[in-house]
Each structure stands twice: as C-alpha cells, then as structure tokens.
Amino acid sequence: MDITSKFEYENCFAANLVRDLKLQIKLLKKEYVENYLQETLFIYSDDEELLKKVLPYLKERGKINNISMITEGNKSIVIKVTTDQCPLLFTFKNMEYANKNSISERINNGGEIEWNMEIESFSNLSYISDILNHKFNIKNVKTKINKIRKQDPKSEYILHEAYELGYFDIPKRLGLEELSIILHIPPTTLDLLLRDSIKNLLKKNYIKY
C-alpha cells in the first residue's frame, strides 16, 4: 500500500534550513553509501543573501559529515550533503525494503518531513512508527494511506516536480532549461511531457456545464 508519513525532527538539517532561514528546498537525489546517506538538494530563495548563509549554517549546526557546493545559480544553489544522522538512513537500513530509492522524501514549507513509500503490511507501518518514536523521540507521526493513483506515474511525477520547483509560479522561479537539468530530461522532450500531462489532467477533471 502507498502511504505518506509526516513529522517534525529537530535535528534534520534540511528542515532547520526551511524553518530558520525560510528557504525552499527540493531533495533531488539520495544515495546510501555504507552507513551514510548522501543527499543532493536544490535550495531556492528570493533573497540571495540567505543562500550565502547556507554553508556556514550547516557547518556550524548541521550535524553532518561532509558538505560541498555543486552549482550556484540565480536565486538558487545545489549542494551535496553526507550524514549519518538521518532517520531515513537508520529506519530503512534495518528494514527489509527492496528498493530504498523508491522512497520519496520532501520538506514542506512548514519544515515538516514527509515520506511517501510503498509498504507491504501494517506491521511495516508499526515498525516505522516505533523507530521514529523510540530512536529519534518523534512523538507525533501522522500517517495516511493514499488512494491508488490512476494517472501515469512518470507524467504525474514530472508535473509535480515542475510545480514544486516553481516552474508555474508568476514570475517563474526557474525556466525550462533549468528544470530539464534537474530532471535530466532534454528541454524539447520535457516541454512535450509537461504539455501532455496538463492536457490529460484537464481532460480528466474538466466538467462541461
């Protein structure tokens, strides 16, 4: 079953960046390397001075093992962080989970962590809640079971990522070229996929009066 768990974790460096510096963050990639989790993050702010505070902030308070700057753009940066303090790492390291890369993690605007994943049974759900509670002292874990998605997963994912990253904002936070780099999709192909996804969404939800 497809579930979403939402919670607050005071030692999460990404959540703290959102809460303390009012930044917007997108987790682009995660890799499990032995006992460490490596995450690549896209960080955005209208205030470019805040972006300059990211590395000093993380080095001072982040509880991370390594951090590096990947790219610096207009009102955005991409960084790579290595840590052994992430609940995601500990939880699924000790859980028989076939495809850890299928787990989606995001930080919402309120600084809450959201995990979306497929689990086989309610016992898995209990295990996750117990780990978060006892290991990380996270008391208020809110979990919901999601409805089965009927839309094409790839199209839905691309449309969701474009929305989250500000492609549809006025003015746009990033253009088609930047979005294509982040999603690893050629601009022409990406443009067609976005148009097709929007068309299918409108056809599905449009009601003629």
Side-chain angles (χ1 to χ4, degrees):
M1 66 185 140
D2 182 78
I3 68 165
T4 297
S5 289
K6 184 186 298 184
F7 57 92
E8 293 184 6
Y9 177 49
E10 63 181 12
N11 290 326
C12 174
F13 68 87
N16 288 336
L17 283 173
V18 172
R19 285 194 294 263
D20 294 347
L21 298 184
K22 310 304 179 186
L23 300 168
Q24 296 185 48
I25 292 179
K26 176 64 186 176
L27 304 174
L28 299 179
K29 184 179 180 182
K30 58 181 179 293
E31 298 174 289
Y32 298 87
V33 182
E34 297 181 348
N35 293 321
Y36 296 94
L37 178 66
Q38 292 182 340
E39 293 185 307
T40 304
L41 300 94
F42 173 86
I43 304 176
Y44 173 87
S45 176
D46 282 320
D47 185 349
E48 295 186 39
E49 290 302 313
L50 286 178
L51 295 175
K52 296 177 182 178
K53 296 181 180 180
V54 171
L55 294 189
Y57 178 96
L58 291 178
K59 289 176 181 177
E60 181 181 351
R61 313 177 201 177
K63 295 186 177 181
I64 58 180
N65 300 81
N66 189 46
I67 178 172
S68 59
M69 180 75 71
I70 305 299
T71 61
E72 295 182 74
N74 182 28
K75 298 183 179 180
S76 67
I77 58 174
V78 176
I79 63 173
K80 186 173 184 178
V81 175
T82 303
T83 179
D84 59 0
Q85 299 293 314
C86 179
L88 191 69
L89 173 70
F90 187 90
T91 302
F92 296 102
K93 181 178 69 173
N94 297 310
M95 177 180 173
E96 291 186 6
Y97 202 88
N99 184 10
K100 294 183 176 66
N101 289 322
S102 68
I103 303 165
S104 172
E105 182 181 27
R106 69 183 291 266
I107 311 295
N108 65 28
N109 291 334
E112 288 182 306
I113 299 169
E114 293 182 12
W115 289 352
N116 182 265
M117 69 199 86
E118 287 280 346
I119 60 173
E120 295 181 357
S121 65
F122 282 101
S123 62
N124 291 145
L125 188 59
S126 299
Y127 169 82
I128 293 168
S129 297
D130 288 343
I131 288 290
L132 292 175
N133 190 334
H134 296 113
K135 173 67 178 178
F136 298 98
N137 198 33
I138 298 170
K139 304 295 185 185
N140 187 23
V141 181
K142 295 164 281 187
T143 301
K144 70 174 182 177
I145 299 174
N146 302 314
K147 294 180 180 179
I148 297 174
R149 300 176 178 178
K150 296 182 180 180
Q151 189 177 352
D152 174 59
K154 182 179 180 182
S155 298
E156 184 176 330
Y157 169 79
I158 291 170
L159 198 59
H160 178 266
E161 295 302 287
Y163 174 79
E164 287 289 323
L165 291 169
Y167 178 75
F168 297 108
D169 286 4
I170 302 174
K172 290 183 178 182
R173 277 192 267 152
L174 78 172
L176 186 67
E177 292 286 342
E178 293 171 291
L179 186 63
S180 72
I181 293 172
I182 292 172
L183 297 179
H184 303 289
I185 301 172
T188 303
T189 304
L190 179 58
D191 183 54
L192 291 174
L193 286 171
L194 286 170
R195 290 173 182 269
D196 190 53
S197 299
I198 293 170
K199 179 181 177 181
N200 290 335
L201 189 65
L202 288 172
K203 287 173 64 177
K204 178 182 176 182
N205 294 285
Y206 178 73
I207 300 176
K208 189 173 183 179
Y209 291 98

